[in-house]
Structure formats: structure tokens, C-alpha cells
Amino acid sequence: MTLLRLSPLALSRSRFALSPLAETLASLHVLGAGYCDPWLVSWYDRHHGAFRALLDADPFAKGLVRLLRSTKWMPAHIVLPPAGGMRTTIDGELAEVARAPDALVRAELEKSVAHSWEEHDLGWLTGRDWAARTAELFRRTWTAHVAADWPRRRALLERDVTYRAGLLAAYGWPRALEQMNRHSAWVGADAIRFSHQGSPDRVVGDEGMLFVPVAAVSRGTWLCEAPPASYALVYPARGAAATAGRTGPGPALGRLIGTGRAAILHELERPATTSELAAHLGLSLGTVGGHLAVLRDAGLVTGTRVDRRVVYRRTASGDLLAGGADG
């Protein structure tokens, strides 16, 4: 079992962040496979062929992707804690990736080979400037296959953060970490179980750690580390499958309370802010705010302030009305 140990100060300073680099790595995993989760089929079908052609034309890229998809050790120069919080940019992250010296890259890739469940050699590791070539692969993957979908994914990721921030404000970190993945869990008063693998515990620095959701995978997680004691835990965002498969509120609910309010009540199956609802439903902030006021006055939704945002969720009456009308 691997534990991440946090002091009270580190715990109080831990927070959420977004990472376009982590989202690109997750997308690279999916595109490099011969299959995908059902809700990714449309995106996968549009991009898989072009991505495979990229790998076939570049032995370095092909060898690296195959290794990343079949190892329990993610190379440290690729999995870096995002430095920009919720505003982290792909350019900033790739600049950090490209700075790694060749000696570090080789050492990390050798560890990845040692922790792989497939046979590998590093015969594709030729030439020099391997970190820069890695950054270029990620940039091409981001530009061709992720960037156009990033606004939708970002909205989903921000919604996951909103949900967990609400749990954090109401119940504390153990509840906020609940069901992040199959392995992570709160242990005792000061530690997070990262995995069941036996390896030394990590001690998180006083600046706390980051929790980073990704949308392109439904399972699996990885740990980002930067010396001396900076850590980020990447985990699958909740709701990706449900969002792809949802069909909207039933017509009965729309006839009862109006189509706009019905759409918002249906969408609040998962808590969200006014801006998140507006972005997801394609409505103006004023329109969403007006509908929320009516729903709140009717006792169907309630709002909770989390930092500078108000997070709305359905009440028990809202759940009953939405569930009954949809059914």
C-alpha cells in the first residue's frame, strides 16, 4: 500500500487544479488502444486513424506511446503537477516537459520498462533531445485531437471540481475524495491511500497537494511528483459516461414547469453553478438565474456558497419531481 501523508497545514492548503497535459496523456492512452469506452466512440472514430498514422511515421512516438500504455510507472518528466491551478495552460506544461535532460528521460523510461506488463526495449530511443521530442508529440496530439473538444471537457472537469468542493465545504476531505478511483481512500487522520502497490510513503509539503480530474478515461489514476515534496493526484472525472448518455428531461416535466426550468432541474442531477449551467445548456446567465430563482422559491433547488461561487443542487422535492416526471 502506498500512502500520501499530509500535515494539518498541507491538508488545509490542498486544492483542485486542471491540467491540459494530463488530459492529453489520457487521450493519448485511448487513441493508442484498439478500443475505447462507449461514450468516447464518436470522438475515437474521428481521431484514431490519424493518430495511428502519426505513430506509424515516427518510431520514437510509437515506442513511447506503447510504453506509456503498458506500465505502472509514468515517467516523471511527463507527469508534472500543474503549476497554474485551474488556469494551467498546455504551453506552460509542455515547456516544463521539454526542459528535462536526456539522462533523466532515459532513467525514467528504464523504470517504466521495469514496471511494464509487456516486453519492451528502448531501441527507438535514438538521437538526442528526447524531452523536446516528447513535448512535440504531446503538442501535436493536443492540437489535432484534444483542443477542439477542450471547452466541453473543461466544463465537465469544472463541474467535477464544483461537486467535490461542495463536499469538501460540507463534510471535509475524506468525503470529497470518496470514489475518486478504485484505490484511493482516506486512511486514518493524515494520509491518502494512493494505490495497493507496495512502495515508500510520500510526505506532502506544506503547500499541500493538487487533485486533478481528467475526462478522457473512466478508470485508472496516476501520481505527479516534483521535488522536493509537490504532488498531484490525477483521477477520472465523475459524470463523463452519464453526460454522454443522457437524453434530457421527459416531456411531462417540461409541460408542468416549462422547458427551460425542466432542463435546469434535470441538469441538476449533479450540482452546478449558474455559469456551468448556462455553458452546458446554451442559455444566458440571466435566463438561468431567473429560472433558478423560480425553482428555489418552489423549494425544488437550493444553493450553497463555496468560496466565491454558489453551487446549486436539487432538494428532495426536486429529485422526486424530476425523477417522477422523467420516469
Side-chain angles (χ1 to χ4, degrees), residues 146-234:
V146 182
D149 200 36
W150 179 241
R152 181 192 67 82
R153 296 192 193 188
R154 184 184 182 101
L156 188 151
L157 300 177
E158 289 176 341
R159 192 156 185 178
D160 180 90
V161 170
T162 296
Y163 168 77
R164 295 190 185 278
L167 293 179
L168 173 62
Y171 306 107
W173 276 112
R175 182 71 180 275
L177 295 179
E178 195 173 71
Q179 297 182 348
M180 268 189 176
N181 61 59
R182 295 177 300 170
H183 306 298
S184 297
W186 199 263
V187 178
D190 67 345
I192 299 168
R193 184 184 69 213
F194 164 59
S195 76
H196 292 294
Q197 298 181 49
S199 61
D201 293 351
R202 274 79 157 181
V203 178
V204 178
D206 286 343
E207 290 304 310
M209 69 178 297
L210 301 174
F211 297 93
V212 181
V214 291
V217 292
S218 62
R219 63 189 69 86
T221 186
W222 62 87
L223 187 68
C224 304
E225 304 182 43
S230 178
Y231 296 93
L233 182 63
V234 178

Side-chain angles (χ1 to χ4, degrees), residues 63-312:
L64 179 60
V65 169
R66 179 173 173 265
L67 178 57
L68 294 179
R69 289 197 60 259
S70 60
T71 185
K72 296 179 179 179
W73 183 276
M74 289 289 107
H77 64 289
I78 293 176
V79 288
L80 300 167
M86 295 294 291
R87 298 182 179 180
T88 302
T89 65
I90 189 68
D91 289 338
E93 291 189 290
L94 291 180
E96 287 299 317
V97 171
R99 289 193 182 103
D102 282 352
L104 172 64
V105 173
R106 176 175 282 279
E108 288 297 312
L109 293 178
E110 287 175 349
K111 291 179 184 178
S112 296
V113 170
H115 287 80
S116 176
W117 54 85
E118 295 182 0
E119 291 293 329
H120 292 274
D121 64 58
L122 294 178
W124 47 268
L125 197 60
T126 59
R128 53 187 299 180
D129 297 327
W130 299 319
R133 292 161 68 184
T134 300
E136 179 59 22
L137 168 63
F138 274 73
R139 183 177 297 282
R140 293 177 67 181
T141 303
W142 165 267
T143 301
H145 309 299
V146 182
D149 200 36
W150 179 241
R152 181 192 67 82
R153 296 192 193 188
R154 184 184 182 101
L156 188 151
L157 300 177
E158 289 176 341
R159 192 156 185 178
D160 180 90
V161 170
T162 296
Y163 168 77
R164 295 190 185 278
L167 293 179
L168 173 62
Y171 306 107
W173 276 112
R175 182 71 180 275
L177 295 179
E178 195 173 71
Q179 297 182 348
M180 268 189 176
N181 61 59
R182 295 177 300 170
H183 306 298
S184 297
W186 199 263
V187 178
D190 67 345
I192 299 168
R193 184 184 69 213
F194 164 59
S195 76
H196 292 294
Q197 298 181 49
S199 61
D201 293 351
R202 274 79 157 181
V203 178
V204 178
D206 286 343
E207 290 304 310
M209 69 178 297
L210 301 174
F211 297 93
V212 181
V214 291
V217 292
S218 62
R219 63 189 69 86
T221 186
W222 62 87
L223 187 68
C224 304
E225 304 182 43
S230 178
Y231 296 93
L233 182 63
V234 178
Y235 66 92
R238 62 190 297 278
T243 299
R246 296 170 73 200
T247 59
L253 185 59
R255 291 195 298 269
L256 180 65
I257 63 175
T259 56
R261 288 187 283 276
I264 290 173
L265 192 62
H266 179 77
E267 193 65 25
L268 286 178
E269 179 182 351
R270 294 182 299 280
T273 65
T274 303
S275 59
E276 290 167 348
L277 289 168
H280 193 76
L281 296 173
L283 300 174
S284 70
L285 286 172
T287 298
V288 172
H291 288 326
L292 285 171
V294 174
L295 294 170
R296 187 175 59 244
D297 290 344
L300 300 176
V301 305
T302 185
T304 303
R305 181 165 292 280
V306 180
D307 295 327
R308 298 182 179 181
R309 301 177 294 175
V310 177
V311 180
Y312 290 92

Side-chain angles (χ1 to χ4, degrees), residues 19-94:
S19 171
L21 178 65
E23 188 66 35
T24 304
L25 176 57
S27 300
L28 182 149
H29 272 252
V30 175
L31 291 172
Y35 56 89
C36 69
D37 289 314
W39 57 91
L40 289 171
V41 168
S42 177
W43 172 81
Y44 179 88
D45 287 346
R46 291 196 308 272
H47 295 281
H48 175 66
F51 185 75
R52 294 303 306 181
L54 183 157
L55 298 188
D56 289 341
D58 184 349
F60 175 87
K62 189 172 186 177
L64 179 60
V65 169
R66 179 173 173 265
L67 178 57
L68 294 179
R69 289 197 60 259
S70 60
T71 185
K72 296 179 179 179
W73 183 276
M74 289 289 107
H77 64 289
I78 293 176
V79 288
L80 300 167
M86 295 294 291
R87 298 182 179 180
T88 302
T89 65
I90 189 68
D91 289 338
E93 291 189 290
L94 291 180

